[in-house]
Amino acid sequence: FGDANNLESPPSFPGGWQIGEPDLILPMASEPFTVPAGGTVEYQYFVIDPDFTDDRWVTAAEVVPGNRAVVHHAIAFIRPPDGVRMDGLGWLSAYVPGQRMPPPQSHRARRVPKGSKIVFQMHYTPTGKVEQDLSKIGLTFASADQVTEELLTIVGINQAIEIPPQQADVAINGETETLPLGGKLLAMSPHMHLRGKAFQVQIGQQDKEAILLDVPHYDFNWQHTYLLEQPVDLDSIDSLKFTAT
């Protein structure tokens, strides 16, 4: 009921790349992956060779799912050649529902050693019918002389999880093993699966702890990267811990 002339315009959902048009677009494989109609699909891994003959500095990277109905999340890792050491997790980019890409900055970039391959880790969720997916990654580059800060991803993880029956809230604790010397913490991406309810990150300074991030209503289907307004000087803290509930 009511006057149709008073209807608000429907929201617009922009398409394309969040990072702007990439310098290079790479599909995860030469042909789509077929997702079965039902059951549990184990994580699928696809390895591509971007044929980098020189070290490349990536200021922005975005994974775009080919079929959002079945791609729950996707992570792209850097696999350096044998014998080439890399700091951090080798993380390049990821897709997960709800996540926005941080704005690229030309002086911050990830180093991809020459000869590296890119590994896609794909998590698929069947929809009740056979589907296909061919996801891709877009990369934007900077020259080495533009980069003054190298981007790294470190991880805090606890895989020794045991949830007793009939308990609604079970806290699991963990922390990062190392903190990069001279590093600054720019952002955090909490990640749990279906039983995750809440997430906290704490920093330790001189035997005191302070909450740096508090996510009281974690949603497996709508996950975020949280950018800090003021980066944290990692040399000024003793620990970076988390509590997953």
Side-chain angles (χ1 to χ4, degrees):
F1 300 102
D3 187 347
N5 294 322
N6 295 330
L7 280 175
E8 294 184 2
S9 300
S12 61
F13 298 98
W17 299 86
Q18 295 182 39
I19 62 173
E21 189 62 29
D23 296 322
L24 179 64
I25 299 172
L26 298 166
M28 73 179 191
S30 58
E31 58 185 30
F33 174 74
T34 299
V35 181
T40 298
V41 181
E42 298 295 333
Y43 281 21
Q44 299 294 310
Y45 292 87
F46 302 88
V47 182
I48 60 171
D49 186 353
D51 196 25
F52 290 156
T53 56
D54 297 294
D55 289 1
R56 305 299 299 268
W57 290 93
V58 176
T59 55
E62 181 181 353
V63 175
V64 173
N67 184 346
R68 294 177 189 271
V70 291
V71 178
H72 177 264
H73 76 259
I75 303 174
F77 295 97
I78 303 162
R79 179 188 288 174
D82 290 344
V84 176
R85 183 178 177 274
M86 278 193 65
D87 293 325
L89 190 60
W91 183 283
L92 185 57
S93 187
Y95 162 82
V96 68
Q99 190 174 92
R100 303 291 295 171
M101 293 293 102
Q105 300 188 37
S106 59
H107 71 288
R108 288 179 179 153
R110 296 181 187 273
R111 183 176 70 91
V112 183
K114 66 179 180 180
S116 294
K117 293 181 171 59
I118 297 175
V119 181
F120 285 79
Q121 180 200 79
M122 305 297 301
H123 179 192
Y124 292 109
T125 51
T127 63
K129 63 177 183 177
V130 175
E131 305 257 17
Q132 288 195 317
D133 171 69
L134 185 59
S135 295
K136 60 188 177 183
I137 189 170
L139 305 175
T140 300
F141 303 110
S143 59
D145 58 1
Q146 290 178 283
V147 179
T148 58
E149 296 180 344
E150 182 177 359
L151 287 170
L152 302 173
T153 297
I154 59 175
V155 63
I157 191 168
N158 184 341
Q159 293 178 305
I161 296 173
E162 195 170 290
I163 302 175
Q166 310 303 323
Q167 291 200 25
D169 297 287
V170 178
I172 306 295
N173 298 305
E175 64 181 299
T176 59
E177 292 185 0
T178 59
L179 298 174
L181 291 174
K184 293 183 290 186
L185 180 64
L186 305 177
M188 293 162 284
S189 297
H191 181 73
M192 298 181 288
H193 284 189
L194 288 168
R195 292 174 177 82
K197 294 178 64 176
F199 201 98
Q200 265 193 8
V201 178
Q202 307 98 15
I203 54 174
Q205 293 175 301
Q206 299 177 346
D207 297 325
K208 295 181 180 180
E209 286 191 355
I211 296 173
L212 185 62
L213 175 68
D214 189 13
V215 183
H217 302 291
Y218 177 85
D219 187 347
F220 178 61
N221 296 302
W222 201 250
Q223 302 180 41
H224 300 282
T225 291
Y226 296 86
L227 302 178
L228 295 172
E229 288 187 353
Q230 294 295 328
V232 173
D233 180 0
L234 294 179
D235 288 347
S236 71
I237 67 174
D238 304 314
S239 64
L240 188 62
K241 300 180 180 181
F242 69 86
T243 302
T245 301

